[in-house]
Amino acid sequence: MAHAQTVTILSPVAGEVIPLAAVKDPVFSAGMMGLGFGVQPTSGDIVAPVSGKVTMIAETKHALGFTTPDNNLEVLVHLGIDTVDLKGTPFKLTVAAGDEVKAGDTIATMDLAMIEKANRQTTVVLAVTNSSDKLDGLDVTTGTQTAGAVVATGRLNANTFNAKRQGRLPKAGKYDQLAADIVENVGGVENISSLIHCITRLRFYLKDESKANDDVVANLKGVIDIAKAGGQYQVVIGPAVTDVYDAVIKLIGPEFSNDSETAKAVAETNAAANRPDTAWGLVKWGFSNLIGVITGSMIPVIGLLAASGILKGILALLITFKVVSTTAPTYVIISAMGDSVFYFLPIFVGFTAAKKLGSDPVIMGIIGGVLTYPSIVAIATKGKVVSTLFGMGINANFFGLPFHVASYTYSIFPMIAGAWLASKLEPWLKRVIPTVLRMIFVPLFEVVIVSGAILIFLGPVITIFSTGLANLIVTVYNLSPAISGLIIGGFYQVLVIFGLHWAVIPIVANDIATTGHSYLNAIISATMVAQGGAVMAIALKSKLANIQELAWPATISAFCGVTEPAMYGINLKYGRAFITASIGSAVGGFLTGLMRVNMWGFTGSLIGVTSFVNPQKGIDFSFYGFLIASLATIIVSFTLTWMFGFKDEDAEAVKTAPKKRHLGQVA
């Protein structure tokens, strides 16, 4: 029976070899960087502890990484403790990243006297950073040793041993290049104060956020997005965040894993330093952050929204051509498939917004469930109005406090606001509630407080605001259909961003219910067409596969009357595209109002073409006006977006950004 193979590791420096637990750095001594040992050096000559490739050299020269060719062990040699602040002065390297070395080769020297004079520890630490995957154990011989002496023997675990025998070892250093690119584009190691991570994202505390190249970082392969919150520069990675975090820490050094209180102080300082100092700067900064949170919260469900939009469009066609009846079980089943993601959108947005803002996703998902709970929905839609206040019906009370329960199905903004509130509330609750009680009482208080804040305060405020907007829209339309078409067309999709458009929908529904038609809905339909025209231009213009994969379904969905995938996934995310789409909306709305285009159905955009057929007279000028306005809308939004609204560099800044020297290179 074959025994598991062993590997040997040399002492990188002459001195006293000590157990890893004796190293005076908690990150190393606790084994967070992997199995290893420390050496109290008596000489400054550093040798390679293993044979292999130099895969990493820190910008400040205080850390080197090696990968062995036979077993893909990743070995880190860290020169001194807290020596990153010395900016490389005590170290002279004779190797560069990419060099092949043999165990025992001289690779560097360190000036021990200079390090001691700077009140830093000279301890050299060696750690096998992937030992949890590769090794069953590491036996270390302590005591005085010479540089290049065998001081550690590692036992390969069964998986690695068998994989090696079968010639299928995984590629080493999978995330090393991504880590190097991230560090380089957040301003380099000298711009990093500390780094932590959560379940999906790296959370940097930077000394100066303006030095970070946002576009480059956001478009690195392996990075989903970036966010800035609470003084943190957050790089969204996803499930591989722990691996990427390990690769970054291996690159910059474990001393950047500062404790939470230090990190918090750094965060507050950075937040104050990076906040704009002018009123207009604050407005732009706040609006930019808000749009970033909204789009970031919606991105994970964009595919579902697009698919549901297409399904709703197909269902509209089936009804129009009388393939199915609205009372048939077939209709109910397909409608549930297409409508469920919208109906329960607060649950999904609560989860994704919480991940974006740093609160508990599961708790926010539950709060979304509170808002879509059938009894709450029944109060909002069928509840008895006992009085009115600021134009809204008072239909409920909470311990005697009267308030208005709004309808939250299909809503987005209340959940984002709730997730923000939860992100502030959670840390406070965890500070004041004893550890043994947190598991129960943090979720309890959070659900009660955030749900109550949305239902009793935020919902009524949004209702008052949206009702006022709806009344303003009706007033403008009554003054001049053409001017109102221009204004409503240009700004209606802005209302969609914040969920305020739901105050207009009842007006449309009432028009159709009482008169059988709605001029206002015809203008709204043009805004849907415009979003589709803009995203179609991006789908055709872009050469990037990830943009096309999102833009084409979003185009179909917009033309089927669901614009959220186009807006949140593409147009709003790249800013100018939403503006060019809104200009197209304004043109389409103006023409629709000018030609007095009428609409007899509820389904809009191109899929709703039959809604513009007069049920009494058949095809009349409203039908032709719809075609003319839609064609003009598509031409304007498509052309402006193609020319001014988007270019691949917006989504792939890496290709056009100036290339900097990589961290592993030496001058």
Side-chain angles (χ1 to χ4, degrees):
M1 180 177 177
H3 295 287
Q5 182 178 330
T6 60
V7 294
T8 57
I9 299 175
L10 312 186
S11 175
V13 66
E16 183 183 358
V17 177
I18 60 175
L20 194 63
V23 172
K24 295 179 180 178
D25 184 297
V27 175
F28 281 119
S29 62
M32 294 172 63
M33 297 299 293
L35 300 176
F37 56 87
V39 185
Q40 301 290 11
T42 55
S43 167
D45 296 325
I46 311 299
V47 303
V50 292
S51 297
K53 178 182 286 189
V54 180
T55 51
M56 183 278 295
I57 294 179
E59 199 171 74
T60 50
K61 306 177 187 178
H62 70 288
L64 301 91
F66 306 85
T67 299
T68 63
D70 293 335
N71 308 302
N72 286 346
L73 289 185
E74 297 176 2
V75 179
L76 173 69
V77 176
H78 197 274
L79 306 179
I81 295 175
D82 293 333
T83 50
V84 65
D85 296 335
L86 305 182
K87 302 186 182 303
T89 307
F91 311 111
K92 295 190 183 328
L93 307 183
T94 58
V95 292
D99 287 354
E100 297 285 345
V101 296
K102 291 183 179 180
D105 286 353
T106 299
I107 56 173
T109 60
M110 59 187 293
D111 190 327
L112 302 182
M114 183 182 295
I115 295 172
E116 290 173 346
K117 186 176 180 180
N119 294 319
R120 301 292 190 271
Q121 297 181 56
T122 59
T123 308
V124 174
V125 187
L126 181 143
V128 182
T129 56
N130 62 347
S131 55
S132 60
D133 296 327
K134 300 288 186 178
L135 301 179
D136 279 336
L138 187 69
D139 299 323
V140 178
T141 302
T142 58
T144 302
Q145 302 287 345
T146 59
V150 176
V151 296
T153 303
R155 300 181 301 278
L156 291 178
N157 61 30
N159 290 336
T160 301
F161 179 60
N162 291 331
K164 181 189 175 186
R165 285 195 307 172
Q166 297 168 21
R168 54 179 180 82
L169 281 175
K171 183 179 179 181
K174 180 178 180 181
Y175 297 103
D176 286 350
Q177 187 58 52
L178 176 59
D181 289 340
I182 291 173
V183 171
E184 177 182 2
N185 288 290
V186 298
V189 67
E190 68 276 4
N191 194 39
I192 301 172
S193 292
S194 64
L195 171 65
I196 60 175
H197 76 86
C198 59
I199 60 172
T200 58
R201 58 187 72 187
L202 302 176
R203 295 173 177 252
F204 287 94
Y205 292 96
L206 301 181
K207 296 174 183 176
D208 184 354
E209 280 192 5
S210 67
K211 292 183 179 180
N213 193 329
D214 295 352
D215 291 337
V216 175
V217 176
N219 287 281
L220 289 173
K221 185 176 181 181
V223 173
I224 298 173
D225 200 1
I226 64 166
K228 300 176 184 179
Q232 296 174 345
Y233 189 90
Q234 301 176 1
V235 182
V236 185
I237 301 294
V241 65
T242 302
D243 295 327
V244 179
Y245 172 82
D246 289 342
V248 173
I249 289 297
K250 182 175 71 173
L251 178 66
I252 65 178
E255 59 268 30
F256 287 93
S257 301
N258 292 356
D259 67 40
S260 59
E261 291 304 315
T262 301
K264 192 181 301 179
V266 173
E268 291 171 355
T269 302
N270 283 339
N274 291 325
R275 193 179 182 90
D277 56 3
T278 64
W280 177 238
L282 282 171
V283 171
K284 291 196 296 181
W285 176 76
F287 186 73
S288 175
N289 283 346
L290 177 61
I291 295 302
V293 170
I294 292 174
T295 57
S297 300
M298 293 299 296
I299 285 293
V301 295
I302 288 299
L304 281 172
L305 293 176
S308 297
I310 293 170
L311 192 58
K312 287 164 72 73
I314 293 172
L315 184 60
L317 289 176
L318 294 176
I319 295 169
T320 298
F321 293 102
K322 304 187 185 306
V323 177
V324 297
S325 166
T326 56
T327 59
T330 301
Y331 169 84
V332 174
I333 293 171
I334 297 176
S335 180
M337 293 176 182
D339 214 34
S340 61
V341 67
F342 294 96
Y343 190 89
F344 297 109
L345 197 57
I347 297 176
F348 306 129
V349 173
F351 188 90
T352 57
K355 293 177 71 174
K356 180 79 175 174
L357 292 168
S359 49
D360 190 308
V362 175
I363 294 176
M364 284 308 303
I366 295 298
I367 292 170
V370 172
L371 301 187
T372 55
Y373 192 72
S375 298
I376 299 292
V377 174
I379 294 174
T381 56
K382 302 175 184 177
K384 182 180 178 181
V385 175
V386 296
S387 62
T388 58
L389 180 66
F390 297 111
M392 63 179 179
I394 302 301
N395 53 10
N397 72 80
F398 188 70
F399 288 106
L401 176 66
F403 69 100
H404 171 80
V405 174
S407 179
Y408 295 97
T409 56
Y410 292 74
S411 66
I412 296 169
F413 191 70
M415 290 308 300
I416 292 176
W420 174 83
L421 176 60
S423 71
K424 305 301 180 184
L425 180 64
E426 270 181 33
W428 180 80
L429 288 174
K430 289 177 180 178
R431 284 197 300 271
V432 301
I433 296 175
T435 304
V436 294
L437 300 177
R438 284 179 190 170
M439 185 176 73
I440 296 175
F441 286 99
V442 168
L444 170 63
F445 285 121
E446 193 170 338
V447 168
V448 171
I449 294 172
V450 177
S451 298
I454 294 175
L455 287 168
I456 298 173
F457 176 72
L458 183 61
V461 169
I462 292 176
T463 298
I464 292 172
F465 190 64
S466 57
T467 300
L469 280 175
N471 293 335
L472 179 63
I473 287 172
V474 172
T475 301
V476 172
Y477 187 84
N478 291 335
L479 289 175
S480 168
I483 294 176
S484 68
L486 180 72
I487 296 172
I488 297 169
F491 292 98
Y492 182 79
Q493 292 297 326
V494 176
L495 302 183
V496 175
I497 296 173
F498 300 102
L500 298 174
H501 66 300
W502 289 108
V504 181
I505 299 303
I507 298 173
V508 172
N510 183 68
D511 284 348
I512 295 175
T514 55
T515 66
H517 58 79
S518 173
Y519 291 102
L520 178 58
N521 204 27
I523 296 173
I524 294 172
S525 175
T527 71
M528 301 174 183
V529 174
Q531 292 294 327
V535 77
M536 182 171 64
I538 294 172
L540 288 170
K541 182 178 182 180
S542 178
K543 300 296 190 294
L544 302 177
N546 61 319
I547 295 295
Q548 292 180 343
E549 288 170 4
L550 189 57
W552 280 117
T555 301
I556 298 172
S557 180
F559 288 150
C560 287
V562 178
T563 58
E564 283 85 352
M567 285 201 309
Y568 297 121
I570 299 289
N571 295 348
L572 190 60
K573 184 176 181 180
Y574 297 110
R576 296 192 310 277
F578 183 76
I579 295 174
T580 54
S582 296
I583 294 173
S585 294
V587 172
F590 174 77
L591 292 175
T592 299
L594 183 67
M595 294 185 289
R596 299 283 292 174
V597 175
N598 207 348
M599 188 173 176
W600 286 267
F602 200 83
T603 303
S605 196
L606 298 186
I607 198 74
V609 59
T610 56
S611 296
F612 294 86
V613 177
N614 190 325
Q616 304 298 325
K617 302 179 181 179
I619 293 177
D620 60 13
F621 189 73
S622 283
F623 181 81
Y624 298 114
F626 159 74
L627 295 180
I628 294 169
S630 295
L631 180 61
T633 300
I634 291 174
I635 291 173
V636 172
S637 60
F638 183 97
T639 303
L640 290 179
T641 304
W642 184 285
M643 295 176 64
F644 310 110
F646 178 84
K647 56 183 183 297
D648 277 343
E649 287 81 356
D650 295 336
E652 200 178 43
V654 173
K655 291 185 177 180
T656 57
K659 297 295 182 182
K660 303 175 184 177
R661 182 171 62 86
H662 284 286
L663 293 175
Q665 296 175 330
V666 291

